[in-house]
Amino acid sequence: MRRAGVFPADALEMSCDAPGVPLDESNLVMKAGRLMERELGRPMPWHVRLVKNVPHGAGLGGGSSDAACVLSALNELEHGGLSRRRLAELAGEIGSDVGCLLYTSPSPRD
């Protein structure tokens, strides 16, 4: 079984173990990555590998959760220094539920 995670790459890219998941700019993960590129003013040289446990398109928030995780992960990996509040503001550009998912885990910065 392949592990999910964020790994060094030449540019922002993603893969997924579930068939039918779009890997282009329509995916919330890619939208999150592009937001971080815009916010930090630099490319995000990372490969995001998804392992889906929530069925694609089931309406259970799996994609939103993935996007929230990517915002947090890239902020840490890139030493972005963005507060959770700022990340939630960015998340709101993706979808209203993405921001609330940032608050489900502890963070050193609020």
Side-chain angles (χ1 to χ4, degrees):
M1 176 187 228
R2 292 171 43 141
R3 280 187 27 233
V6 181
F7 306 93
D10 292 331
L12 181 64
E13 60 187 27
M14 67 172 290
S15 60
C16 184
D17 68 336
V21 173
L23 304 176
D24 61 13
E25 303 298 318
S26 69
N27 191 293
L28 299 183
V29 162
M30 291 298 289
K31 288 181 181 188
R34 297 296 181 216
L35 278 173
M36 289 301 288
E37 287 181 332
R38 184 190 79 199
E39 184 70 11
L40 298 180
R42 60 181 180 265
M44 298 289 112
W46 300 97
H47 178 99
V48 179
R49 184 180 305 149
L50 296 180
V51 173
K52 298 296 279 181
N53 294 312
V54 174
H56 168 63
L60 299 174
S64 296
S65 178
D66 295 339
C69 183
V70 166
L71 287 172
S72 293
L74 293 180
N75 189 43
E76 292 299 317
L77 290 167
E78 287 290 317
H79 308 286
L82 302 178
S83 69
R84 191 164 21 185
R85 181 183 188 120
R86 181 62 187 139
L87 289 174
E89 291 169 356
L90 293 172
E93 295 184 37
I94 301 170
S96 59
D97 57 342
V98 179
C100 80
L101 292 165
L102 289 167
Y103 287 91
T104 61
S105 62
S107 172
R109 295 180 291 282
D110 287 327

